Amino acid sequence: MTTTRFAPSPTGDLHIGGVRTALYCWLHARQHQGTFRLRIEDTDQTRSTQSSTQVILDGLSWLGLEHDGEVVYQSQRFAHYDGIIEQMLADGLAYYCWCTPEELDAMREAQKARGEKPRYNGKYRNGGEPVPGVDPVVRFKNPQEGSVVFDDKVRGRISISNSEMDDFIIRRSDGSPTYNFCVVVDDAEQEISLVIRGDDHINNTPRQINLYHALGYRVPEFAHVPMILGDDGKRLSKRHGATNVLDYRNEGYLPEAVLNYLLRLGWSHGDQEIFSREEMLQYFDIANVHSAAAAFNTEKLRWLNQHYLKSHTAENLIQPLQAHLKAADIALDEATILAAIPHYQERAKTLKEMAENMRWLGQAPSEYPEKAAQKAFKGEATANLLNDLAERLQALANYDEASIHGAIEACVTDNEVGFGKVGQPARLAVTGGAPSPDLAVTLCLPGRDSVVKRLQQAVDYINENKG
Ligand code: GLU
């Protein structure tokens, strides 16, 4: 039975690298008709926050990476962990250590001075007297002989000698259990078959394997996926721009674009770039994830996003688009948005840009860009043409694209001018210079009353600025 889990610590944003791990866990579970679990690793109560947990839940749900069963919160399992630690103490698998932080510092300094690797020296491994005033930690008795060998699905065979590892802490002096301990108990009790996580944890794995053996648990398989880098080759961080998955939602990316992008970042299937959810499930193989870190490329994400923007119907896009229109304070009725979307799917790479490009639809220009106005508004001649066009639009029996197109043509022909003489100023009058579709569409979308008013406003402007 295949079971994977995503086990984030709620101590900040849900990093886009974490999302890729979650995607790989989700895919692997779904491919094998298995189970995908979500565990919130909130043992560090000073750094864990409810809002960060909420970001994790919202982020995964936005992306459609639904988990199976209840969310497990480690903070609710302290009594259980404690019971196991007490049993380990009783069985001689773990022991109290009364070293103070100062003592540990001095130990490390002395080791460094001797040219040795700094580590706990095992002072209390074979017992010792409590030190008054010191709350002891509990340490795991790591084996001293032999080595730990495991076959990582991404990194291949990894072998570490036990002499390289010290007796790590499983319960802090304040009584809270540590990550390396809880993760083993939970992965074992949740019967995780494959642990997929970031390779920043790879040094923890041999210690955890020793703990599995000590507790008589079955050891899962492991797949450590590489970090995501920024364009400068350093680990992707806020310095490089957005790293929180919800920032991508706010920037106007579609969930399928983000997932497709993250899937390909570190894994490939020939040179295929676009993967539907079905194709992801069909082709993804955790064993083929590249072991080298990959760099984040915003342009490629934007390209994918536009691909998905174009592949949706207007009806599918209206709901997420409305959130962006609202955020940008742009009020448009639903019919206008629906009519406008098809004309912007080619012109915008994100929903945010699409919303911004639609701003002119709901509001007459408050000014005209100087250069464009100089080019398009040519005094009385232009004013007369715009007036003429406005009258023709007023007279149309049906205000639709085909009729508007006819009105523009008639205006051009009857006045014996080139198309640009009418088209350029009319477009500027209606949009104020915003990116806009075909002229007939541009004159149709805001509705007749608004368009006629805008043409008249431009005529007034031209007349005032003539001299
Ligand atoms: N809670 C750990 C983290 O957020 C992940 C642990 C794991 O996947 O084993 O880094």
Side-chain angles (χ1 to χ4, degrees), residues 74 79 155 182 190 305 361 384 405 438:
Q74 288 190 326
R155 303 279 292 253
C182 301
Q190 294 188 294
N305 203 54
L361 284 167
N384 289 341
H405 187 73
D438 174 79

Side-chain angles (χ1 to χ4, degrees), residues 240-254:
H240 299 100
T243 53
N244 182 8
V245 64
L246 292 182
D247 290 341
Y248 287 88
R249 182 179 67 183
N250 298 340
E251 284 302 311
Y253 291 99
L254 293 168

Side-chain angles (χ1 to χ4, degrees), residues 5 7-9 41 179 183 197 201:
R5 68 2 176 229
S9 304
E41 299 208 322
Y179 157 71
V183 75
R197 61 184 166 204
H201 284 291

Side-chain angles (χ1 to χ4, degrees), residues 287-306:
N288 292 340
V289 169
H290 307 155
S291 57
F296 199 87
N297 179 337
T298 307
E299 268 320 303
K300 185 151 173 210
L301 173 61
R302 285 168 58 76
W303 174 79
L304 274 168
N305 203 54
Q306 186 172 39

Side-chain angles (χ1 to χ4, degrees), residues 124-378:
Y124 289 95
R125 186 174 166 105
N126 298 313
E129 286 304 308
V131 177
V134 175
D135 292 323
V137 299
V138 176
R139 290 182 182 270
F140 169 59
K141 253 189 198 173
N142 196 72
Q144 290 176 318
E145 309 288 314
S147 50
V148 176
V149 181
F150 66 101
D151 289 306
D152 189 276
K153 282 196 174 299
V154 174
R155 303 279 292 253
R157 174 153 294 203
I158 293 177
S159 169
I160 307 227
S161 161
N162 275 318
S163 62
E164 300 270 315
M165 292 180 248
D166 58 6
D167 291 347
F168 60 95
I169 296 172
I170 57 174
R171 189 169 73 193
R172 301 182 188 90
S173 56
D174 66 2
S176 62
T178 59
Y179 157 71
N180 268 323
F181 173 77
C182 301
V183 75
V184 168
V185 172
D186 290 348
D187 284 341
E189 292 185 359
Q190 294 188 294
E191 298 182 348
I192 305 303
S193 59
L194 174 62
V195 169
I196 302 173
R197 61 184 166 204
D199 66 4
D200 49 336
H201 284 291
I202 202 151
N203 290 333
N204 288 321
T205 305
R207 298 164 200 275
Q208 292 174 13
I209 291 177
N210 281 331
L211 204 47
Y212 278 99
H213 289 311
L215 290 167
Y217 295 147
R218 188 175 60 86
V219 183
E221 290 192 288
F222 295 92
H224 287 90
V225 303
M227 300 285 99
I228 297 180
L229 306 177
D231 45 18
D232 56 359
K234 303 231 168 71
R235 187 178 174 181
L236 186 71
S237 72
K238 283 194 184 139
R239 281 181 302 114
H240 299 100
T243 53
N244 182 8
V245 64
L246 292 182
D247 290 341
Y248 287 88
R249 182 179 67 183
N250 298 340
E251 284 302 311
Y253 291 99
L254 293 168
E256 53 271 48
V258 172
L259 290 182
N260 193 150
Y261 180 71
L262 291 176
L263 173 80
R264 278 285 291 103
L265 193 63
W267 173 85
S268 52
H269 178 70
D271 42 24
Q272 184 170 341
E273 292 291 355
I274 310 284
F275 291 85
S276 65
R277 207 165 262 241
E278 291 66 37
E279 286 173 318
M280 289 186 188
L281 287 164
Q282 189 179 348
Y283 298 128
F284 177 72
D285 184 348
I286 187 72
N288 292 340
V289 169
H290 307 155
S291 57
F296 199 87
N297 179 337
T298 307
E299 268 320 303
K300 185 151 173 210
L301 173 61
R302 285 168 58 76
W303 174 79
L304 274 168
N305 203 54
Q306 186 172 39
H307 166 83
Y308 285 104
L309 279 178
K310 285 195 287 197
S311 70
H312 276 293
T313 61
E315 284 75 13
N316 281 340
L317 289 179
I318 189 154
Q319 205 194 357
L321 180 61
Q322 260 167 340
H324 290 276
L325 289 164
K326 193 157 174 249
D329 222 4
I330 300 169
L332 293 174
D333 61 70
E334 206 171 301
T336 307
I337 305 171
L338 274 178
I341 288 174
H343 302 289
Y344 282 95
Q345 283 169 301
E346 288 282 351
R347 286 184 171 79
K349 291 213 162 86
T350 65
L351 288 166
K352 192 175 171 180
E353 288 174 9
M354 194 183 267
E356 201 47 59
N357 287 346
M358 289 185 183
R359 186 181 290 281
W360 66 275
L361 284 167
Q363 86 196 31
S366 54
E367 55 186 6
Y368 308 101
E370 208 180 305
K371 276 215 178 100
Q374 268 171 12
K375 224 169 136 206
F377 296 160
K378 301 275 189 223

